[in-house]
Amino acid sequence: MFTYYLDLALRSLGRNKILTTLMVLAIALGIGASMTTLTVLHVLSGDPLPGASGTLFYPRIDPRDQDSYEEGKDPPYQVTWIDGMNMLHAKRADRQALMTGGSVPVQPAQANLDPFYSDARYTSSDFFPMFRVPFLYGRPWSAEEDDGKARVVVISRKLNEKLFGGKDSTGQILRMKDTAFRVVGVLDEWRPNPHFYDVDTGKYAASEDVFVPLTTSHDIRLEHDGSTDCWGTGGDEEHAETQPCVWLQFWVQLDSAAKVAAYKEYLVHYSEEQRALGRFVRPVNVRLPGLMEWLDINKVVPGDVRLQTWLAFGFLLVCLVNTVGLMLAKFLRRAGELGVRRALGASKREVFMQLLIESGVIGLAGGLCGLLLAFIGLWLVRRQPSDYASLAHLDMAMLLTTFVLAIGSTLLAGLLPAWRACQITPALQLKSQ
Amino acid sequence: MDILPILSTLRRHKITALLVIIEIALTCAIVCNAVFIISQRLDRMSMDSGVDEHRLLHIQLADIGDTKDKKSRTLTDLAALQQIPGVAEVASVMQVPFGNSSSNSGIKLDPKQKLSTLNATMYSGENLVPALGLQLVAGRDLRPDDFKDFDDVVRGAAAKDAKSLPQVIVITQNMAQRLWPGQQALGKQIYLMDYPMTVVGVVKELIRPSIWDDSAKSYSMIFPMRMARGEYVVRTKTPEDRERVLAAALAKLKEINPHRVVLKKHTFDDMRHDFFQNDRAMAGLLIGVCVALLIVTALGIVGLGSFWVAQRRRQIGVRRALGATRTNILRYFQTENFLLATIGIVVGMVLAYGINLLLMVHYELPRLPGIYFPVGAVLLWIIGQLAVLGPAMRAAAVPPVVATRSV
């Protein structure tokens, strides 16, 4: 029966080309617009580390002075050097890393390459296993190398291509800011989206090309990037390690709920201890958001993108209302044909099914054209200058969503016209023939 | 034209009429809000920066290794840049409008105050006011004897030595009005951390390097601090000189010290273009959606109109046979569309207002100005009339003889 109805549907679509084209076009436009924006939203609100994000947490404490204190306000977004180092060395979590962004002058050994600046991350050794960073060659540096302020560096695959022609460069020397660093590892492709560990240096930025121990970066005064918030008389970059300024990100890995609770407890104890020492003056105020929660707090998905998605769905709604109207016109115009079918014994149910299949076919055609439009739309998005633009690609899930949305919404739009068409009294239609 | 017969006909086609109304209402609501957002973005993009944008260049350099004599190197750079033909003014600066990276600080009016009165951005650099082409509206510019070296200021602040800090400051008109509404700002003091500074000049406008809150976009202060960070602003004599001067300046700077990297080199027009790229993209996208929406709506009206005409051929024929002219028939369909559009517009306006309220809560958009309602209504009326014209003309062409045929 289904194939017969399908055949009928295709014939009927061919009979009234203008109306059919209008319907398919309307659905295609609506689907194209909503799938483009939905894909962007889907990409931007994704999980940067699937499988690992549930165990990563971002401890927050409040070391600020009593000035500008307001009850109930959130602790700062970053930590001071002193607190970061204290928590790092306390090792109360399964893994922990203290870090900040920066940029370093790279001096290639080759004469044909000019010196250039590279984005860098100054961090501690746990960064790599904690964030599941893939290595192409070599390994991360060790905790001992952190403590010893070793001149070691891990570089990205891209930088390795540029400087060493893509060969295994571990053991080679890389000069940065007139200092010789030994390459200990080369990363494989790695671009977590969003740039979750430091949203301040670009919410959807690519990961850095140079990774240096935080202690080393401080020892040779590599330049730090990202926001620095100071209070009191803070602000002296020369002595950043003692200043009342927050400028570092601290992450921990906690493998069980019990450990999360225990860590929160530790943060409270730590704050109380610092209060007793007179370093902290505010009431204890600690938070321990998980990775995804932290992204929410930072509102990483741009407001514009959400607005665009709403707009696109509004547009789809108009297109569907339009389709309902056109389908109604199309189905009622066939009152005669349907009357004959009814008179020859087709039940209301069968006529209804036939018309719904016809809407489904329209939906499928609209979905196919819409998919094409979505590809064009995403191509246009990728040409935009925003830092997330290059991420806008359709994945399997979105491809499926496109067809479910296209066929589903068209079937929904077809319900009313099909129902109306079923109400036709066969006798009346036959009489007027 | 008699409206009652139209209404009674519409009553027998409730669903189709309702669909047209819904479509017009939704389109009206979405387009009004979209156009409003577009106008907001366009306003933002044409934001006044207060600087002489068409004649300005920005160059940022960075050293590869440690350099000791930054101060004398900066003087050499500045002298060399000033020599280039076509250059009017140069300055070594801390930050520039549209630069995205900025230094900001809380300002107090009283040292005992706990919360800052407002947060303002900090510009500095000798010769900054003429180099950026800022317009002084009160008081004086900073004088050479007001200036201190940036490094000394930092050291002084660390040692809590008030004498080594800047004593005077120039602020923007907006900031002055916010701090002392209706009063003269000259001679007044502001406190940065705990140190007082006296306002000696007020400039008309100077926007922040990065704007996270549009209402505080022109809270800027200019400090008398000499900068030696390798960041330069060059003002040319004419806009046409820019490209040539930029090339010459880069060549000269590279010649003075080849051991450094150019981080940024651009005209201020390009900087503004980049700064507002997201707003531009959003406005473009909204324009696209509005056009598509109006087209889809118009096509919907054409489609339904044609169906309607086809359905009523016999009725039209009868009317024609009874003496209705072609114009009568044409007017009939036009009036019908006008009625439907009007109901749709009324519903759409209410909806537009509702959507605007939602946007005000979630996206900090201002209230939709009243002018959007009449303009939107006229636009939709015109579109409706144009869309129905085709089907209506086809209806008018129905010959009276149709009435006599048994269909």
Side-chain angles (χ1 to χ4, degrees), chain A residues 25-42:
Chain A
L25 201 70
I27 292 169
L29 281 173
I31 294 292
S34 29
M35 286 321 293
T36 305
T37 55
L38 203 61
T39 302
V40 173
L41 190 68
H42 170 74

Side-chain angles (χ1 to χ4, degrees), chain A residues 46 54 95 102 200 266 292 340 347 365 372 431:
Chain A
R95 281 180 178 130
D200 199 51
Y266 161 69
M292 295 310 280
V340 173
S347 68
L372 195 73
K431 213 162 71 185

Side-chain angles (χ1 to χ4, degrees), chain B residues 253-399:
Chain B
L253 290 168
K254 204 79 185 157
E255 186 190 308
I256 295 170
N257 176 9
H259 195 62
R260 54 184 169 179
V261 177
V262 177
L263 292 183
K264 284 173 187 156
K265 43 162 183 170
H266 35 209
T267 66
F268 264 63
D269 284 343
D270 289 344
M271 290 175 79
R272 171 186 276 273
H273 189 271
D274 292 346
F275 191 82
F276 293 112
Q277 60 195 16
N278 284 334
D279 294 296
R280 188 175 308 106
M282 183 74 175
L285 184 122
L286 289 175
I287 291 171
V289 170
C290 284
V291 171
L293 256 178
L294 294 176
I295 291 176
V296 166
T297 306
L299 287 181
I301 293 173
V302 172
L304 277 180
S306 311
F307 163 66
W308 238 323
V309 170
Q311 219 183 20
R312 298 188 214 160
R313 272 179 74 83
R314 182 117 185 263
Q315 184 198 340
I316 296 164
V318 171
R319 285 200 57 204
R320 290 278 283 126
L322 292 176
T325 61
R326 286 180 194 280
T327 324
N328 287 147
I329 303 294
L330 195 68
R331 289 279 176 279
Y332 176 90
F333 282 96
Q334 285 176 328
T335 313
E336 186 183 72
N337 179 270
F338 182 81
L339 279 178
L340 292 179
T342 308
I343 302 172
I345 288 164
V346 171
V347 178
M349 293 301 172
V350 176
L351 211 57
Y353 190 71
I355 293 177
N356 178 241
L357 285 183
L358 277 179
L359 291 177
M360 279 167 69
V361 175
H362 294 288
Y363 297 95
E364 287 153 18
L365 212 72
R367 187 174 296 280
L368 194 65
I371 182 71
Y372 280 80
F373 295 100
V375 172
V378 170
L379 181 73
L380 280 163
W381 271 322
I382 293 174
I383 287 174
Q385 289 300 312
L386 287 180
V388 86
L389 204 60
M393 295 219 304
R394 222 168 314 138
V398 172

